[in-house]
Amino acid sequence: IIGRRDNLDPKLLKKIEQIEEKTKDNRGLDLMVAFNYGGRDELTRATQKIAERVKNGEIAIEDITEDLISNSLDTAGKQDPDLVVRTSGELRLSNFLLWELSYAEFYFPDLDS
């Protein structure tokens, strides 16, 4: 589950953590649920994590790379999507996976036909 967790109700957060623990060893299919998620917020939080590491002397500014940024996102360790199918009729990203979708192909099917 990707998204901001620090402002969730503790009972809901516990449920999310239980589900993640229960399914952590599952293989074959990656299901990613975006809950309390926004792409700009994700990039802000990743930047804050990196800045904190620089501030603490763990890394130098020169160590900031695309890989470091990718590994600081909610989707760390997952492959970037190759294809996005948008069935809503919208022709936009809508603040969704802004970093991860930079090389994805987009398909907007006409569902009215």
Side-chain angles (χ1 to χ4, degrees), residues 6 9 22 24 35 41 52 72 85-86 89 92 95 109:
D6 61 344
D9 179 271
K22 186 175 183 178
K24 71 179 182 185
F35 183 79
D41 180 66
E52 189 69 28
S72 300
V85 179
R86 183 84 195 244
R92 61 184 184 176
N95 197 27

Side-chain angles (χ1 to χ4, degrees), residues 28-48:
L29 175 69
D30 276 333
L31 173 64
M32 194 172 300
V33 177
F35 183 79
N36 200 26
Y37 173 86
R40 288 181 177 186
D41 180 66
E42 178 186 31
L43 288 168
T44 300
R45 288 183 286 109
T47 303
Q48 290 170 341

Side-chain angles (χ1 to χ4, degrees), residues 78-89:
K78 303 294 182 190
Q79 283 188 316
D80 290 345
D82 291 318
L83 175 66
V84 176
V85 179
R86 183 84 195 244
T87 59
S88 68

Side-chain angles (χ1 to χ4, degrees), residues 50-51 53-55 57-65 68:
I50 294 168
R53 291 183 65 195
V54 171
K55 178 181 164 188
E58 297 171 33
I59 60 172
I61 290 174
E62 298 78 24
D63 296 330
I64 300 172
T65 62
L68 179 64

Side-chain angles (χ1 to χ4, degrees), residues 3-20:
R4 188 174 203 109
R5 294 178 181 218
D6 61 344
N7 58 358
L8 294 180
D9 179 271
K11 289 180 186 177
L12 179 58
L13 183 58
K14 184 175 181 173
K15 281 285 190 197
I16 289 170
E17 291 168 348
Q18 288 172 341
I19 292 167
E20 289 177 329

